Amino acid sequence: MVRTPLTPWERQRGERLGALLRAARGKRSMVAVAADAGLSPETLRKIETGRAPTPAFFTVAALASVLGISLDDIAAACGEHPEAGQALSA
C-alpha cells in the first residue's frame, strides 16, 4: 500500500504536536515517558521531531495521559485545518 504524501499543513500540524509533547515532557527523560506510555523511545523521538506527524489516536491518547495533558488541549494546539469550515459554508 502506498501512502499519500502529507500536505504542508499536515507536516506543520505534526511539528506542533511534537513541540507540545516535548514541552509537556519537560525534564522527564524520553525513555521514561515512552516506557510509561507503552512506546519505544524511537517512536516518541519521531513524534516529537515531527518525523511521525500522524501518530495513531491511541498513541497520542497514551502520551496525553502520561504527560497530564488533555486531548482537547492537544486538538486546540494542533489547530483546525484552515479549509475545514469552507466545505460546510459552501
Side-chain angles (χ1 to χ4, degrees), residues 2-65:
V2 176
R3 187 170 189 177
T4 306
L6 297 173
T7 66
W9 182 84
E10 289 168 327
R11 284 192 298 275
Q12 291 170 357
R13 180 185 61 195
E15 291 168 1
R16 286 193 305 273
L17 172 63
L20 173 69
L21 295 175
R22 172 65 188 99
R25 182 166 60 84
K27 294 185 180 199
R28 291 176 66 186
S29 78
M30 186 176 289
V31 172
V33 170
D36 289 347
L39 307 172
S40 72
E42 183 57 24
T43 297
L44 180 54
R45 183 181 342 276
K46 286 179 181 177
I47 294 169
E48 284 188 358
T49 60
R51 287 188 359 232
T54 57
F57 172 79
F58 290 105
T59 299
V60 175
L63 286 167
S65 176

Side-chain angles (χ1 to χ4, degrees), residues 20-21 24 60-61 63-74:
L20 173 69
L21 295 175
V60 175
L63 286 167
S65 176
V66 167
L67 295 171
I69 53 178
S70 75
L71 292 174
D72 288 335
D73 290 341
I74 291 173

Side-chain angles (χ1 to χ4, degrees), residues 9 79-90:
W9 182 84
E80 186 175 305
H81 192 286
E83 298 172 6
Q86 292 178 2
L88 297 175
S89 62

